[in-house]
């Protein structure tokens, strides 16, 4: 480590002192704002409010086995997405960045018009269609819910499609292999 960094390290690692904060009144309110998020509280919330099903765990296991980066949302964010989809009675949705499909599962399950509860893991075997290319037209058949999820990496998209098939949501999800920056301009 360069000598200058060794000398600065103790100062950079320190939390602001009262004297430092006096010149910056906005820091006064932010210092302890997340202290309530204790591990026991987060564990309780995950267990009681945002539990993951075996379907969610399957998708996570597939992502880990494939060596995908661990950058997916957490169960609490997934529950929030699920709530937002349910609260507006959404029939279709667009997701940018599929990765392995974990967030897509949280979004697709509550899409309106989806019928009954999601099937148990592996219970549904459906035919997958070929991946869409070119312009994306967001017009699912009447009454059919649809999530369009865009992924730039074909290997991630293939893994997500296989996971959607296994967890029983492949009829609700269309994975589009594309650059979302370009594809979003063509969406009707």
């Amino acid at each position: 480590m360069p000598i200058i960094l060794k000398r600065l390290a103790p100062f950079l690692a320190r939390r602001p002192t009262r004297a430092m904060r006096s010149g910056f009144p906005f820091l006064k309110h932010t210092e302890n704002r997340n202290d309530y998020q204790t591990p026991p509280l987060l564990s309780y919330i995950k267990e009681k409010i945002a539990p993951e099903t075996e379907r969610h765990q399957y998708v996570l296991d597939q992502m880990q086995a494939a060596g995908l980066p661990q950058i997916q949302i957490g169960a609490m964010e997934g529950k929030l997405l699920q709530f937002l989809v349910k609260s507006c009675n959404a029939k279709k949705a667009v997701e940018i960045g599929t990765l392995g499909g974990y967030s897509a599962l949280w979004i697709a399950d509550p899409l309106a018009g989806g019928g009954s509860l999601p099937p148990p893991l592996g219970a549904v075997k459906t035919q997958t269609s070929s991946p869409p290319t070119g312009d994306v037209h967001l017009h699912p058949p009447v009454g059919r819910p649809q999530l369009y999820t865009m992924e730039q990496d074909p290997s991630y998209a293939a893994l997500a499609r296989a996971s959607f098939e296994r967890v029983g949501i492949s009829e609700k999800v269309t994975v589009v292999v594309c650059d979302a920056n370009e594809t979003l301009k063509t969406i009707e």
Side-chain angles (χ1 to χ4, degrees):
M1 178 185 294
I3 191 70
I4 190 81
L5 289 179
K6 283 184 181 180
R7 290 182 181 161
L8 287 176
F11 298 103
L12 296 176
R14 238 176 27 177
R15 294 178 89 173
T17 64
R18 184 179 305 260
M20 293 167 68
R21 284 194 310 270
S22 64
F24 303 99
F26 62 88
L27 287 177
K28 169 174 79 173
H29 300 290
T30 61
E31 184 177 344
N32 297 318
R33 103 177 135 185
N34 292 326
D35 285 353
Y36 69 92
Q37 294 182 355
T38 62
L41 176 63
L42 294 175
S43 177
Y44 177 82
I45 290 171
K46 186 174 179 181
E47 178 186 330
K48 301 295 183 186
I49 298 172
E52 292 176 319
T53 66
E54 64 180 7
R55 299 163 69 232
H56 294 102
Q57 193 56 53
Y58 174 81
V59 173
L60 289 173
D61 291 346
Q62 294 304 306
M63 291 170 61
Q64 186 173 13
L68 268 61
Q70 298 295 303
I71 57 173
Q72 72 280 352
I73 65 169
M76 288 183 278
E77 293 88 358
K79 193 64 171 185
L80 176 62
L81 287 173
Q82 191 177 62
F83 168 76
L84 292 171
V85 170
K86 280 183 183 180
S87 66
C88 68
N89 201 27
K91 291 178 178 47
K92 58 184 165 180
V94 176
E95 176 186 40
I96 300 170
T98 311
L99 194 60
Y102 182 77
S103 57
L105 179 56
W106 284 103
I107 297 168
D109 273 346
L111 284 172
S116 60
L117 293 172
L121 181 63
V124 175
K125 298 288 182 194
T126 57
Q127 295 293 336
T128 55
S129 58
S130 59
T133 57
D135 290 353
V136 178
H137 302 283
L138 301 182
H139 298 291
V142 176
R144 181 175 161 206
Q146 195 67 34
L147 167 63
Y148 296 88
T149 180
M150 301 176 195
E151 177 55 57
Q152 197 167 12
D153 188 313
S155 64
Y156 293 0
L159 177 70
R161 281 192 195 101
S163 292
F164 298 154
E165 183 77 27
R166 176 87 168 128
V167 300
I169 61 168
S170 60
E171 290 183 4
K172 281 186 173 183
V173 181
T174 301
V175 178
V176 183
V177 179
C178 65
D179 177 359
N181 287 323
E182 297 303 317
T183 304
L184 287 172
K185 296 173 188 173
T186 67
I187 290 179
E188 295 179 3

